[in-house]
Coordinates of all heavy atoms in Angstrom, one line a residue:
M919 N -27.6 -7.1 -11.8 CA -26.6 -6.2 -11.4 C -25.5 -6.2 -12.4 O -25.0 -7.3 -12.7 CB -26.1 -6.6 -10.0 CG -24.9 -5.8 -9.5 SD -24.4 -6.2 -7.9 CE -25.7 -5.4 -7.0
L920 N -25.1 -5.0 -12.8 CA -24.0 -5.0 -13.8 C -22.6 -4.9 -13.1 O -22.6 -4.3 -11.9 CB -24.1 -3.7 -14.6 CG -25.4 -3.7 -15.6 CD1 -25.6 -2.3 -16.1 CD2 -25.1 -4.7 -16.7
P921 N -21.6 -5.5 -13.7 CA -20.3 -5.4 -13.1 C -19.7 -4.0 -13.2 O -20.0 -3.3 -14.1 CB -19.5 -6.5 -13.8 CG -20.2 -6.8 -15.0 CD -21.7 -6.3 -14.9
I922 N -18.7 -3.8 -12.3 CA -17.9 -2.6 -12.4 C -17.2 -2.5 -13.8 O -16.8 -3.5 -14.3 CB -16.8 -2.6 -11.3 CG1 -17.5 -2.5 -9.9 CG2 -15.8 -1.5 -11.5 CD1 -16.6 -2.6 -8.8
G923 N -17.2 -1.3 -14.3 CA -16.6 -1.1 -15.7 C -17.6 -1.2 -16.8 O -17.3 -0.8 -17.9
S924 N -18.9 -1.5 -16.4 CA -19.9 -1.5 -17.5 C -20.2 0.0 -17.8 O -20.0 0.9 -17.0 CB -21.2 -2.1 -16.9 OG -21.0 -3.5 -16.6
I925 N -20.5 0.1 -19.1 CA -20.8 1.5 -19.6 C -22.3 1.6 -20.0 O -22.7 0.7 -20.7 CB -19.8 1.8 -20.8 CG1 -18.4 1.8 -20.2 CG2 -20.2 3.2 -21.4 CD1 -17.4 1.9 -21.3
V926 N -23.0 2.6 -19.6 CA -24.4 2.7 -19.8 C -24.8 4.1 -20.2 O -24.0 5.1 -20.0 CB -25.2 2.4 -18.5 CG1 -24.9 1.0 -18.1 CG2 -24.9 3.4 -17.4
Y927 N -25.9 4.3 -20.8 CA -26.6 5.6 -21.0 C -27.7 5.6 -20.0 O -28.4 4.6 -19.8 CB -27.2 5.7 -22.4 CG -26.3 6.1 -23.5 CD1 -26.0 5.2 -24.5 CD2 -25.7 7.4 -23.5 CE1 -25.1 5.6 -25.5 CE2 -24.8 7.8 -24.5 CZ -24.5 6.9 -25.5 OH -23.7 7.2 -26.5
L928 N -27.8 6.7 -19.3 CA -28.9 6.9 -18.3 C -30.1 7.5 -19.1 O -29.9 8.2 -20.1 CB -28.5 7.8 -17.2 CG -27.3 7.3 -16.4 CD1 -27.0 8.3 -15.3 CD2 -27.6 6.0 -15.7
K929 N -31.3 7.2 -18.6 CA -32.5 7.8 -19.2 C -32.3 9.3 -19.3 O -31.9 10.0 -18.3 CB -33.7 7.5 -18.4 CG -34.0 6.0 -18.5 CD -35.3 5.7 -17.7 CE -35.6 4.2 -17.8 NZ -36.6 3.7 -16.9
E930 N -32.6 9.9 -20.4 CA -32.5 11.3 -20.7 C -31.0 11.8 -20.6 O -30.8 13.0 -20.6 CB -33.4 12.1 -19.7 CG -34.8 11.6 -19.7 CD -35.9 12.5 -19.4 OE1 -35.6 13.7 -19.4 OE2 -37.0 12.1 -19.2
G931 N -30.1 10.9 -20.7 CA -28.7 11.3 -20.7 C -28.1 11.3 -22.1 O -28.6 10.5 -22.9
S932 N -27.1 12.1 -22.3 CA -26.5 12.1 -23.7 C -25.0 11.7 -23.6 O -24.4 11.6 -24.7 CB -26.6 13.5 -24.2 OG -25.9 14.5 -23.4
R933 N -24.5 11.4 -22.5 CA -23.1 11.0 -22.3 C -23.1 9.6 -21.7 O -23.9 9.2 -20.8 CB -22.3 11.9 -21.5 CG -22.3 13.3 -22.1 CD -21.4 14.3 -21.4 NE -20.0 14.0 -21.7 CZ -19.1 14.6 -21.1 NH1 -19.3 15.6 -20.3 NH2 -17.8 14.2 -21.4
K934 N -22.1 8.8 -22.1 CA -21.9 7.5 -21.5 C -21.4 7.6 -20.0 O -20.6 8.5 -19.7 CB -20.9 6.7 -22.3 CG -21.4 6.4 -23.7 CD -20.3 5.6 -24.5 CE -20.8 5.4 -25.9 NZ -19.8 5.3 -26.8
V935 N -21.8 6.7 -19.2 CA -21.4 6.7 -17.8 C -20.9 5.3 -17.5 O -21.4 4.3 -17.9 CB -22.6 6.9 -16.8 CG1 -22.3 6.8 -15.4 CG2 -23.2 8.3 -17.1
M936 N -19.7 5.3 -16.9 CA -19.0 4.0 -16.5 C -19.3 3.7 -15.0 O -19.1 4.6 -14.1 CB -17.5 4.1 -16.7 CG -16.8 2.7 -16.4 SD -15.1 2.7 -16.9 CE -14.4 3.9 -15.7
I937 N -19.7 2.5 -14.7 CA -20.0 2.1 -13.3 C -18.7 1.9 -12.6 O -17.8 1.2 -13.0 CB -20.9 0.8 -13.4 CG1 -22.3 1.1 -13.9 CG2 -21.0 0.2 -11.9 CD1 -23.2 -0.1 -14.1
L938 N -18.6 2.6 -11.5 CA -17.5 2.5 -10.6 C -17.8 1.8 -9.3 O -16.8 1.2 -8.7 CB -17.1 3.9 -10.1 CG -16.7 4.9 -11.2 CD1 -16.5 6.3 -10.7 CD2 -15.4 4.4 -11.9
N939 N -19.0 1.7 -8.9 CA -19.4 1.1 -7.6 C -20.8 0.6 -7.6 O -21.6 1.1 -8.3 CB -19.2 2.2 -6.5 CG -19.4 1.7 -5.1 OD1 -19.0 0.6 -4.8 ND2 -20.0 2.6 -4.3
R940 N -21.0 -0.4 -6.8 CA -22.4 -0.9 -6.6 C -22.7 -0.8 -5.1 O -21.9 -0.9 -4.3 CB -22.5 -2.4 -6.9 CG -22.6 -2.7 -8.4 CD -21.3 -3.0 -9.1 NE -20.4 -3.9 -8.5 CZ -20.1 -5.2 -8.8 NH1 -20.9 -5.7 -9.7 NH2 -19.2 -5.9 -8.2
G941 N -24.0 -0.5 -4.8 CA -24.4 -0.4 -3.4 C -23.8 0.8 -2.8 O -23.5 0.8 -1.6
A942 N -23.9 1.9 -3.5 CA -23.3 3.2 -3.0 C -24.2 3.8 -1.9 O -25.4 4.0 -2.1 CB -23.1 4.2 -4.1
L943 N -23.6 4.0 -0.7 CA -24.3 4.7 0.4 C -24.1 6.1 0.3 O -22.9 6.6 0.2 CB -23.9 4.1 1.7 CG -24.2 2.6 1.9 CD1 -23.5 2.1 3.2 CD2 -25.7 2.4 2.0
L944 N -25.1 6.9 0.5 CA -25.0 8.4 0.4 C -25.9 9.0 1.4 O -27.0 8.5 1.6 CB -25.3 8.8 -1.1 CG -25.2 10.3 -1.4 CD1 -23.8 10.7 -1.5 CD2 -25.9 10.5 -2.7
E945 N -25.4 10.1 2.0 CA -26.3 10.9 2.9 C -26.9 12.0 2.1 O -26.2 12.8 1.5 CB -25.6 11.4 4.1 CG -26.5 12.1 5.1 CD -26.1 11.9 6.5 OE1 -25.4 10.9 6.9 OE2 -26.5 12.8 7.3
T946 N -28.2 12.0 2.1 CA -29.0 13.1 1.4 C -30.2 13.5 2.2 O -30.9 12.6 2.7 CB -29.3 12.7 -0.1 OG1 -30.0 13.7 -0.7 CG2 -30.2 11.4 -0.1
A947 N -30.5 14.7 2.3 CA -31.6 15.3 3.0 C -31.6 14.7 4.5 O -32.6 14.4 5.0 CB -32.9 14.9 2.4
G948 N -30.4 14.6 5.0 CA -30.3 14.2 6.4 C -30.5 12.7 6.7 O -30.5 12.3 7.9
K949 N -30.6 11.9 5.7 CA -30.7 10.5 5.9 C -29.8 9.7 5.0 O -29.5 10.1 3.9 CB -32.2 10.0 5.8 CG -32.7 10.1 4.4 CD -34.2 9.6 4.3 CE -34.7 9.8 2.9 NZ -36.0 9.3 2.7
Q950 N -29.5 8.5 5.4 CA -28.7 7.6 4.6 C -29.5 6.9 3.6 O -30.6 6.3 4.1 CB -27.8 6.7 5.5 CG -26.8 5.8 4.6 CD -26.0 4.9 5.6 OE1 -26.5 4.2 6.4 NE2 -24.7 5.0 5.3
V951 N -29.1 6.8 2.3 CA -29.8 6.1 1.3 C -28.8 5.2 0.5 O -27.6 5.5 0.6 CB -30.6 7.0 0.3 CG1 -31.7 7.8 1.1 CG2 -29.7 8.0 -0.4
I952 N -29.4 4.3 -0.2 CA -28.5 3.4 -1.0 C -28.9 3.6 -2.5 O -30.1 3.6 -2.8 CB -28.6 1.9 -0.5 CG1 -27.5 1.1 -1.2 CG2 -30.0 1.4 -0.7 CD1 -27.4 -0.3 -0.6
F953 N -27.9 3.6 -3.3 CA -28.1 3.6 -4.8 C -27.5 2.3 -5.3 O -26.6 1.8 -4.8 CB -27.4 4.8 -5.4 CG -28.1 6.1 -5.2 CD1 -27.8 6.8 -4.1 CD2 -29.1 6.5 -6.1 CE1 -28.6 8.1 -3.9 CE2 -29.8 7.7 -5.9 CZ -29.5 8.5 -4.8
D954 N -28.1 1.8 -6.4 CA -27.6 0.6 -7.0 C -26.2 0.8 -7.5 O -25.3 -0.1 -7.4 CB -28.5 0.1 -8.2 CG -29.8 -0.3 -7.8 OD1 -30.0 -0.8 -6.6 OD2 -30.8 -0.2 -8.6
Y955 N -25.9 2.0 -8.0 CA -24.6 2.3 -8.7 C -24.1 3.7 -8.4 O -24.9 4.6 -8.2 CB -24.7 2.2 -10.2 CG -25.2 0.8 -10.7 CD1 -26.6 0.7 -11.1 CD2 -24.4 -0.3 -10.7 CE1 -27.0 -0.6 -11.6 CE2 -24.9 -1.5 -11.2 CZ -26.2 -1.6 -11.6 OH -26.7 -2.9 -12.0
S956 N -22.8 3.9 -8.6 CA -22.3 5.2 -8.8 C -21.4 5.1 -10.0 O -20.9 4.0 -10.4 CB -21.4 5.7 -7.5 OG -20.3 4.9 -7.4
G957 N -21.2 6.2 -10.7 CA -20.4 6.2 -11.9 C -19.8 7.5 -12.3 O -20.0 8.5 -11.6
C958 N -19.1 7.5 -13.4 CA -18.4 8.7 -13.9 C -18.6 8.8 -15.4 O -19.0 7.8 -16.0 CB -16.9 8.6 -13.6 SG -16.0 7.2 -14.3
I959 N -18.3 9.9 -15.9 CA -18.4 10.2 -17.4 C -17.4 9.4 -18.1 O -16.2 9.4 -17.7 CB -18.2 11.7 -17.7 CG1 -19.4 12.5 -17.1 CG2 -18.2 11.9 -19.2 CD1 -20.7 12.3 -17.7
Y960 N -17.7 8.6 -19.1 CA -16.8 7.9 -19.9 C -16.5 8.7 -21.2 O -17.5 9.3 -21.7 CB -17.4 6.6 -20.3 CG -16.6 5.8 -21.3 CD1 -15.6 4.9 -20.8 CD2 -16.7 6.0 -22.7 CE1 -14.8 4.2 -21.7 CE2 -15.9 5.2 -23.5 CZ -14.9 4.4 -23.0 OH -14.1 3.7 -23.9
P961 N -15.3 8.9 -21.6 CA -14.1 8.3 -21.2 C -13.2 9.1 -20.2 O -12.1 8.8 -19.9 CB -13.3 8.1 -22.5 CG -13.7 9.3 -23.3 CD -15.1 9.6 -22.9
V962 N -13.8 10.1 -19.7 CA -13.1 11.1 -18.8 C -12.5 10.4 -17.6 O -11.4 10.6 -17.2 CB -14.0 12.3 -18.4 CG1 -13.3 13.2 -17.4 CG2 -14.4 13.1 -19.7
G963 N -13.4 9.6 -16.9 CA -13.0 9.0 -15.6 C -13.4 9.7 -14.4 O -14.2 10.7 -14.5
L964 N -12.9 9.3 -13.3 CA -13.3 9.8 -12.0 C -13.0 11.3 -11.8 O -11.8 11.7 -12.0 CB -12.7 9.0 -10.9 CG -13.1 9.4 -9.5 CD1 -14.6 9.3 -9.3 CD2 -12.4 8.5 -8.4
D965 N -13.9 12.0 -11.5 CA -13.8 13.5 -11.1 C -14.7 13.6 -9.9 O -15.9 13.4 -10.0 CB -14.3 14.4 -12.2 CG -14.3 15.9 -11.8 OD1 -14.1 16.2 -10.6 OD2 -14.4 16.7 -12.7
A966 N -14.1 13.8 -8.7 CA -14.8 13.8 -7.4 C -16.0 14.8 -7.5 O -16.9 14.6 -6.7 CB -13.9 14.1 -6.3
K967 N -16.0 15.8 -8.4 CA -17.1 16.8 -8.4 C -18.2 16.3 -9.3 O -19.2 16.9 -9.4 CB -16.5 18.1 -8.9 CG -15.5 18.7 -7.9 CD -14.9 20.0 -8.5 CE -13.9 20.5 -7.5 NZ -13.2 21.7 -8.1
Q968 N -18.0 15.2 -10.1 CA -19.0 14.7 -11.0 C -19.2 13.2 -10.8 O -19.0 12.4 -11.7 CB -18.5 15.0 -12.4 CG -18.7 16.4 -12.8 CD -18.6 16.5 -14.4 OE1 -17.7 15.9 -15.0 NE2 -19.4 17.3 -14.9
I969 N -19.6 12.8 -9.7 CA -19.9 11.4 -9.4 C -21.5 11.3 -9.6 O -22.2 12.1 -9.0 CB -19.5 10.9 -8.1 CG1 -17.9 11.0 -7.9 CG2 -20.0 9.5 -7.7 CD1 -17.4 10.7 -6.6
F970 N -21.9 10.3 -10.3 CA -23.3 10.1 -10.6 C -23.8 8.9 -9.8 O -23.1 7.9 -9.7 CB -23.5 9.8 -12.1 CG -23.2 11.0 -12.9 CD1 -21.9 11.1 -13.4 CD2 -24.1 12.0 -13.2 CE1 -21.5 12.2 -14.2 CE2 -23.7 13.1 -14.0 CZ -22.4 13.1 -14.5
Y971 N -24.9 9.1 -9.1 CA -25.6 8.1 -8.3 C -26.8 7.7 -9.0 O -27.7 8.6 -9.3 CB -25.8 8.5 -6.9 CG -24.5 8.8 -6.1 CD1 -24.0 10.1 -6.1 CD2 -23.8 7.8 -5.5 CE1 -22.8 10.3 -5.5 CE2 -22.6 8.0 -4.8 CZ -22.2 9.3 -4.8 OH -21.0 9.6 -4.1
F972 N -27.1 6.4 -9.2 CA -28.3 6.0 -10.0 C -28.6 4.6 -9.7 O -27.9 3.8 -9.1 CB -28.1 6.2 -11.5 CG -26.9 5.5 -12.1 CD1 -27.0 4.3 -12.7 CD2 -25.6 6.0 -12.0 CE1 -25.9 3.6 -13.3 CE2 -24.5 5.4 -12.6 CZ -24.7 4.2 -13.2
N973 N -29.9 4.2 -10.1 CA -30.4 2.9 -9.9 C -30.6 2.2 -11.2 O -30.6 2.8 -12.2 CB -31.7 3.0 -9.0 CG -31.5 3.6 -7.6 OD1 -30.6 3.0 -6.9 ND2 -32.2 4.6 -7.2
E974 N -30.9 0.9 -11.0 CA -31.1 0.1 -12.2 C -32.2 0.7 -13.1 O -32.0 0.7 -14.3 CB -31.6 -1.3 -11.7 CG -31.5 -2.4 -12.8 CD -30.0 -2.9 -13.0 OE1 -29.2 -3.0 -12.1 OE2 -29.8 -3.2 -14.2
D975 N -33.2 1.2 -12.5 CA -34.3 1.7 -13.3 C -34.0 3.1 -14.0 O -34.8 3.6 -14.8 CB -35.6 1.8 -12.5 CG -35.5 2.8 -11.3 OD1 -34.4 3.1 -10.9 OD2 -36.6 3.1 -10.8
N976 N -32.9 3.7 -13.7 CA -32.4 4.9 -14.3 C -31.6 4.6 -15.6 O -31.3 5.5 -16.4 CB -31.6 5.8 -13.5 CG -32.3 6.2 -12.2 OD1 -31.9 5.9 -11.1 ND2 -33.4 6.9 -12.4
I977 N -31.3 3.3 -15.9 CA -30.5 3.0 -17.0 C -31.4 2.8 -18.2 O -32.3 2.1 -18.2 CB -29.7 1.6 -16.7 CG1 -28.7 1.9 -15.6 CG2 -29.0 1.2 -18.0 CD1 -28.0 0.6 -15.1
D978 N -31.0 3.5 -19.3 CA -31.7 3.4 -20.5 C -31.2 2.3 -21.5 O -31.9 1.6 -22.0 CB -31.7 4.7 -21.3 CG -32.5 4.8 -22.5 OD1 -33.6 4.3 -22.6 OD2 -31.9 5.3 -23.5
Q979 N -29.8 2.2 -21.5 CA -29.2 1.3 -22.5 C -27.8 0.9 -21.9 O -27.1 1.7 -21.4 CB -29.0 2.0 -23.8 CG -28.3 1.1 -24.8 CD -28.0 1.9 -26.1 OE1 -28.3 3.0 -26.3 NE2 -27.4 1.2 -27.1
V980 N -27.5 -0.4 -22.0 CA -26.2 -0.9 -21.6 C -25.4 -0.9 -22.9 O -25.7 -1.6 -23.9 CB -26.3 -2.3 -21.0 CG1 -24.9 -2.9 -20.7 CG2 -27.1 -2.3 -19.7
V981 N -24.3 -0.2 -22.9 CA -23.4 -0.1 -24.1 C -22.3 -1.2 -24.0 O -22.0 -1.8 -25.0 CB -22.7 1.3 -24.2 CG1 -21.8 1.3 -25.3 CG2 -23.7 2.4 -24.2
F982 N -21.8 -1.5 -22.8 CA -20.8 -2.5 -22.7 C -20.9 -3.1 -21.2 O -21.1 -2.3 -20.3 CB -19.4 -1.8 -22.7 CG -18.2 -2.7 -22.4 CD1 -17.7 -3.6 -23.3 CD2 -17.6 -2.6 -21.2 CE1 -16.7 -4.4 -23.0 CE2 -16.6 -3.5 -20.8 CZ -16.1 -4.3 -21.7
E983 N -20.9 -4.4 -21.2 CA -20.9 -5.0 -19.9 C -19.5 -5.4 -19.4 O -18.7 -6.0 -20.1 CB -21.8 -6.3 -19.9 CG -22.1 -6.8 -18.6 CD -23.2 -7.9 -18.5 OE1 -24.1 -7.8 -19.4 OE2 -23.1 -8.8 -17.8
G984 N -19.2 -4.9 -18.2 CA -17.8 -5.1 -17.6 C -17.5 -6.6 -17.4 O -18.3 -7.5 -17.6
F985 N -16.2 -6.8 -16.9 CA -15.7 -8.1 -16.8 C -16.4 -8.9 -15.7 O -16.7 -8.4 -14.6 CB -14.2 -7.9 -16.5 CG -13.4 -9.2 -16.2 CD1 -13.1 -10.1 -17.3 CD2 -13.0 -9.6 -15.0 CE1 -12.5 -11.3 -17.0 CE2 -12.4 -10.8 -14.7 CZ -12.1 -11.6 -15.7
K986 N -16.6 -10.1 -16.0 CA -17.1 -11.1 -15.0 C -16.3 -12.3 -14.8 O -15.8 -12.8 -15.8 CB -18.6 -11.5 -15.4 CG -19.7 -10.6 -15.2 CD -21.0 -11.2 -15.5 CE -22.1 -10.4 -15.1 NZ -23.4 -11.0 -15.4
D987 N -16.1 -12.7 -13.6 CA -15.4 -14.0 -13.3 C -16.0 -14.6 -12.1 O -17.0 -14.2 -11.6 CB -13.9 -13.8 -13.2 CG -13.5 -13.0 -12.1 OD1 -14.4 -12.6 -11.2 OD2 -12.2 -12.7 -11.9
E988 N -15.4 -15.7 -11.5 CA -16.0 -16.3 -10.4 C -16.0 -15.4 -9.1 O -16.9 -15.5 -8.3 CB -15.2 -17.6 -10.0 CG -13.8 -17.5 -9.6 CD -12.8 -17.3 -10.8 OE1 -13.2 -17.6 -12.0 OE2 -11.7 -16.9 -10.6
E989 N -15.1 -14.4 -9.0 CA -15.1 -13.5 -7.9 C -16.3 -12.5 -8.0 O -17.0 -12.2 -7.0 CB -13.8 -12.7 -7.8 CG -12.7 -13.6 -7.3 CD -11.4 -12.8 -7.1 OE1 -11.4 -11.7 -6.5 OE2 -10.4 -13.2 -7.6
E990 N -16.5 -12.1 -9.3 CA -17.7 -11.2 -9.5 C -19.0 -12.0 -9.2 O -19.9 -11.4 -8.5 CB -17.7 -10.7 -11.0 CG -19.0 -10.0 -11.4 CD -19.2 -8.7 -10.7 OE1 -18.2 -8.1 -10.1 OE2 -20.4 -8.2 -10.6
N991 N -19.1 -13.2 -9.6 CA -20.3 -14.0 -9.3 C -20.5 -14.1 -7.8 O -21.6 -14.0 -7.3 CB -20.3 -15.4 -10.0 CG -20.3 -15.2 -11.5 OD1 -20.8 -14.2 -12.1 ND2 -19.7 -16.2 -12.2
R992 N -19.4 -14.4 -7.1 CA -19.5 -14.6 -5.7 C -19.9 -13.3 -4.9 O -20.7 -13.3 -4.1 CB -18.2 -15.1 -5.1 CG -18.1 -15.3 -3.6 CD -18.9 -16.4 -3.2 NE -18.8 -16.6 -1.7 CZ -19.7 -17.0 -0.9 NH1 -20.9 -17.4 -1.4 NH2 -19.5 -17.1 0.4
Y993 N -19.3 -12.2 -5.5 CA -19.7 -10.9 -4.9 C -21.2 -10.6 -5.1 O -21.8 -10.2 -4.1 CB -18.9 -9.8 -5.6 CG -19.4 -8.4 -5.1 CD1 -19.0 -7.8 -4.0 CD2 -20.3 -7.7 -6.0 CE1 -19.5 -6.6 -3.6 CE2 -20.8 -6.5 -5.6 CZ -20.4 -5.9 -4.4 OH -20.9 -4.7 -4.0
Q994 N -21.7 -10.9 -6.2 CA -23.1 -10.7 -6.5 C -24.0 -11.5 -5.5 O -25.0 -11.0 -5.1 CB -23.4 -10.9 -7.9 CG -22.9 -9.8 -8.8 CD -23.5 -9.7 -10.2 OE1 -24.6 -10.2 -10.4 NE2 -22.8 -9.1 -11.1
E995 N -23.6 -12.7 -5.3 CA -24.3 -13.6 -4.4 C -24.3 -13.0 -3.0 O -25.4 -12.9 -2.3 CB -23.7 -15.0 -4.3 CG -24.0 -16.0 -5.3 CD -23.3 -17.3 -5.0 OE1 -23.1 -17.7 -3.9 OE2 -22.9 -17.9 -6.0
L996 N -23.2 -12.6 -2.5 CA -23.0 -12.1 -1.1 C -23.7 -10.7 -1.0 O -24.4 -10.5 0.0 CB -21.5 -11.9 -0.7 CG -20.8 -13.2 -0.6 CD1 -19.3 -12.9 -0.4 CD2 -21.3 -14.1 0.5
Y997 N -23.7 -9.9 -2.0 CA -24.4 -8.6 -2.1 C -25.9 -8.8 -1.9 O -26.6 -8.1 -1.2 CB -23.9 -7.8 -3.3 CG -24.6 -6.4 -3.2 CD1 -24.2 -5.4 -2.4 CD2 -25.6 -6.2 -4.1 CE1 -24.8 -4.2 -2.4 CE2 -26.2 -4.9 -4.2 CZ -25.8 -4.0 -3.3 OH -26.4 -2.7 -3.3
Q998 N -26.4 -9.8 -2.7 CA -27.8 -10.0 -2.7 C -28.3 -10.5 -1.3 O -29.3 -10.0 -0.8 CB -28.3 -11.0 -3.7 CG -28.2 -10.5 -5.2 CD -29.1 -9.3 -5.4 OE1 -30.1 -9.1 -4.8 NE2 -28.6 -8.5 -6.3
K999 N -27.5 -11.3 -0.7 CA -27.8 -11.7 0.7 C -27.8 -10.6 1.7 O -28.6 -10.4 2.5 CB -26.9 -12.8 1.2 CG -27.1 -14.1 0.5 CD -26.1 -15.2 0.9 CE -26.3 -16.4 0.2 NZ -25.3 -17.5 0.5
W1000 N -26.8 -9.7 1.5 CA -26.6 -8.5 2.4 C -27.9 -7.6 2.1 O -28.5 -7.1 3.1 CB -25.4 -7.7 2.1 CG -25.2 -6.5 2.9 CD1 -24.8 -6.4 4.2 CD2 -25.7 -5.2 2.5 NE1 -24.8 -5.1 4.6 CE2 -25.4 -4.3 3.6 CE3 -26.2 -4.6 1.4 CZ2 -25.7 -3.0 3.6 CZ3 -26.5 -3.3 1.3 CH2 -26.2 -2.4 2.4
L1001 N -28.3 -7.4 0.9 CA -29.4 -6.5 0.6 C -30.7 -7.0 1.2 O -31.5 -6.2 1.8 CB -29.7 -6.5 -0.9 CG -29.0 -5.4 -1.7 CD1 -29.4 -5.5 -3.2 CD2 -29.3 -4.0 -1.2
E1002 N -30.9 -8.4 1.3 CA -32.1 -8.9 1.8 C -32.1 -8.8 3.3 O -33.2 -8.6 3.9 CB -32.1 -10.5 1.5 CG -32.4 -10.6 0.0 CD -32.2 -12.1 -0.4 OE1 -32.1 -13.0 0.4 OE2 -32.2 -12.4 -1.7
K1003 N -30.9 -8.8 4.0 CA -30.9 -8.6 5.5 C -30.6 -7.2 5.9 O -31.6 -6.5 6.1 CB -29.8 -9.5 6.0 CG -30.1 -11.0 5.9 CD -29.0 -11.8 6.5 CE -29.3 -13.3 6.4 NZ -28.4 -14.2 7.0
E1004 N -29.4 -6.8 5.9 CA -29.0 -5.4 6.4 C -29.5 -4.3 5.4 O -30.0 -3.3 5.9 CB -27.5 -5.3 6.6 CG -27.0 -6.1 7.8 CD -26.7 -7.6 7.5 OE1 -26.8 -7.9 6.2 OE2 -26.5 -8.3 8.3
G1005 N -29.4 -4.6 4.2 CA -29.7 -3.5 3.2 C -31.2 -3.2 3.1 O -31.6 -2.1 2.7
A1006 N -32.0 -4.1 3.5 CA -33.5 -3.9 3.5 C -33.9 -2.8 4.4 O -35.0 -2.1 4.2 CB -34.2 -5.2 3.9
S1007 N -33.1 -2.4 5.3 CA -33.5 -1.3 6.3 C -33.0 0.1 5.8 O -33.3 1.1 6.4 CB -32.9 -1.6 7.6 OG -31.5 -1.5 7.6
I1008 N -32.3 0.1 4.6 CA -31.8 1.3 4.1 C -32.7 1.7 2.9 O -32.7 1.0 2.0 CB -30.3 1.2 3.7 CG1 -29.4 0.8 4.9 CG2 -29.8 2.6 3.1 CD1 -28.0 0.4 4.5
P1009 N -33.3 2.9 2.9 CA -34.2 3.3 1.8 C -33.3 3.5 0.5 O -32.2 3.9 0.6 CB -34.8 4.6 2.3 CG -34.1 5.0 3.4 CD -33.3 3.9 4.0
K1010 N -33.9 3.2 -0.6 CA -33.3 3.4 -1.9 C -33.3 4.9 -2.2 O -34.3 5.6 -2.1 CB -34.0 2.6 -3.0 CG -33.2 2.7 -4.3 CD -33.6 1.6 -5.2 CE -32.7 0.4 -5.0 NZ -32.7 -0.5 -6.1
G1011 N -32.2 5.4 -2.7 CA -32.1 6.8 -3.0 C -32.8 7.1 -4.4 O -33.0 6.1 -5.2
K1012 N -33.1 8.3 -4.6 CA -33.8 8.8 -5.8 C -32.9 9.8 -6.5 O -32.5 10.8 -5.8 CB -35.1 9.3 -5.6 CG -36.2 8.4 -5.0 CD -37.5 9.0 -4.7 CE -38.4 8.0 -4.0 NZ -39.7 8.7 -3.6
V1013 N -32.6 9.6 -7.8 CA -31.8 10.5 -8.5 C -32.3 12.0 -8.4 O -31.4 12.9 -8.3 CB -31.7 10.1 -10.0 CG1 -31.0 11.1 -10.9 CG2 -31.0 8.7 -10.1
E1014 N -33.6 12.2 -8.5 CA -34.1 13.5 -8.4 C -33.9 14.2 -7.1 O -34.0 15.4 -7.0 CB -35.6 13.6 -8.8 CG -36.4 12.6 -8.0 CD -36.6 11.2 -8.5 OE1 -35.8 10.7 -9.4 OE2 -37.5 10.5 -8.0
D1015 N -33.6 13.5 -6.1 CA -33.3 14.1 -4.7 C -31.9 14.6 -4.6 O -31.6 15.2 -3.6 CB -33.6 13.0 -3.6 CG -35.1 12.8 -3.5 OD1 -35.9 13.6 -4.1 OD2 -35.5 11.8 -2.9
I1016 N -31.0 14.2 -5.5 CA -29.6 14.7 -5.4 C -29.4 16.0 -6.1 O -29.9 16.3 -7.2 CB -28.6 13.7 -6.1 CG1 -28.8 12.3 -5.5 CG2 -27.2 14.2 -6.1 CD1 -28.0 11.3 -6.2
G1017 N -28.8 17.0 -5.3 CA -28.7 18.3 -5.8 C -27.6 18.5 -6.7 O -26.8 18.5 -7.3

């Protein structure tokens, strides 16, 4: 799991995307799904009309890995535990299903 602030290229993408969030919940096609990440175009920043939702397998290249410290490590531990319990019941979203 990449930290917030990481910058990536998505597969078949030509612009850099900065990770804003992990474990993004989204309602699509009438059901709640979870994506590994949400992000914005780098260096533009957040534009509510251009939020990208994607998963680990949609990442082609990591350009920059965001800041990590003990809080980040702890967050990742807790998030993994949550994914194994509560998160396991939420289906993973698919990029191609987002309009």
Side-chain angles (χ1 to χ4, degrees):
M919 171 177 284
L920 293 167
I922 291 173
S924 295
I925 299 172
V926 300
Y927 279 113
L928 300 178
K929 292 178 181 172
E930 310 210 11
S932 60
R933 298 186 72 184
K934 293 175 183 154
V935 174
M936 183 173 68
I937 293 173
L938 297 173
N939 185 34
R940 281 95 43 104
L943 295 171
L944 183 69
E945 184 145 332
T946 181
K949 65 178 180 177
Q950 188 176 49
V951 295
I952 190 168
F953 285 91
D954 293 334
Y955 303 103
S956 69
C958 64
I959 296 292
Y960 175 87
V962 176
L964 181 60
D965 176 348
K967 296 176 186 173
Q968 283 193 318
I969 297 175
F970 298 90
Y971 296 92
F972 55 99
N973 294 308
E974 197 76 39
D975 60 344
N976 299 118
I977 296 173
D978 182 45
Q979 179 185 359
V980 177
V981 177
F982 173 80
E983 192 166 325
F985 179 72
K986 281 186 172 181
D987 64 4
E988 63 280 346
E989 287 183 52
E990 172 65 20
N991 294 335
R992 178 70 176 145
Y993 171 82
Q994 287 196 22
E995 273 180 43
L996 294 173
Y997 181 72
Q998 287 302 329
K999 288 178 185 177
W1000 179 85
L1001 269 181
E1002 292 167 12
K1003 291 182 180 184
E1004 291 85 8
S1007 65
I1008 304 170
K1010 189 163 271 199
K1012 297 179 183 173
V1013 172
E1014 56 271 12
D1015 291 343
I1016 300 175

